[in-house]
Amino acid sequence: MRHVVFLGGPNLDRLGEREPEKYGTTSWSELETMCETWAARAGCRVTFLQTNSEGELVEWIGHWSRQADSIVLNAAAYTHTSVAVRDAVAAAAAPVIELHLTNPDSREAFRRTNLLADVVAAGVRGFGIQGYRLALDGALALCASADESD
Ligand code: DQA
């Protein structure tokens, strides 16, 4: 069974109460339940983790990229600042899909700095919570096309 790991970076634990006009009113734990439902329908397994710590995120990317078929990463603010997260993604053993609830390019100028864009396999941005469903579909599609080219 395919295994997709969702990793969330800083402040995503406050989803639902954090700037709801931008990020919506669904909490991180509600989002986890939604992803589990979508995964069950698609016949795959998901792991859902969030941390506010840059080091932990780096360790998780290294660990889960060896254990799972794909990682869906919302690195949140570390997208714009972290060479360490970028290096972990560049070295990942499985494809990493970058996800943002909002479209960072249409926000403040500093969010246009993206240290991950050229090291990820694909990206989903600006679809809000539904982006997680799209990213799961995308992760499974990447796995299927990798199988075909074997
Ligand atoms: C975010 C966008 C980032 O710029 C921001 O720092 C976040 C959330 C998003 O999902 O839209 O924390 O990654």
Side-chain angles (χ1 to χ4, degrees):
M1 187 185 266
R2 294 276 184 224
H3 183 194
V4 178
V5 176
F6 290 86
L7 299 181
N11 299 306
L12 290 172
D13 53 333
R14 298 177 61 201
L15 208 58
E17 46 149 285
R18 169 197 184 202
E19 299 182 272
E21 68 290 353
K22 292 193 181 80
Y23 298 115
T25 53
T26 304
S27 71
W28 183 254
S29 75
E30 287 167 344
L31 180 57
E32 176 174 10
T33 305
M34 291 165 82
C35 286
E36 281 166 355
T37 304
W38 293 324
R41 277 189 209 140
C44 71
R45 186 158 77 89
V46 291
T47 298
F48 209 77
L49 298 167
Q50 187 277 332
T51 180
N52 291 326
S53 149
E54 184 176 13
E56 193 161 41
L57 195 56
V58 166
E59 280 171 23
W60 284 351
I61 293 165
H63 172 79
W64 288 109
S65 83
R66 290 189 298 276
Q67 303 294 320
D69 295 294
S70 181
I71 292 177
V72 175
L73 172 66
N74 186 346
Y78 291 141
T79 306
H80 316 298
T81 62
S82 177
V83 175
V85 171
R86 175 199 165 84
D87 287 350
V89 171
V96 176
I97 297 178
E98 179 186 355
L99 184 149
H100 300 285
L101 294 155
T102 61
N103 178 4
D105 282 342
S106 65
R107 298 179 60 190
E108 302 95 323
F110 64 83
R111 293 185 205 275
R112 271 172 236 144
T113 300
N114 184 330
L115 300 182
L116 306 182
D118 61 323
V119 289
V120 292
V124 174
R125 46 176 50 211
F127 289 100
I129 290 299
Q130 290 301 321
Y132 279 80
R133 188 173 53 79
L134 298 173
L136 179 61
D137 287 350
L140 296 174
L142 284 182
C143 295
S145 57
D147 280 356
E148 278 166 23
S149 58
D150 276 349

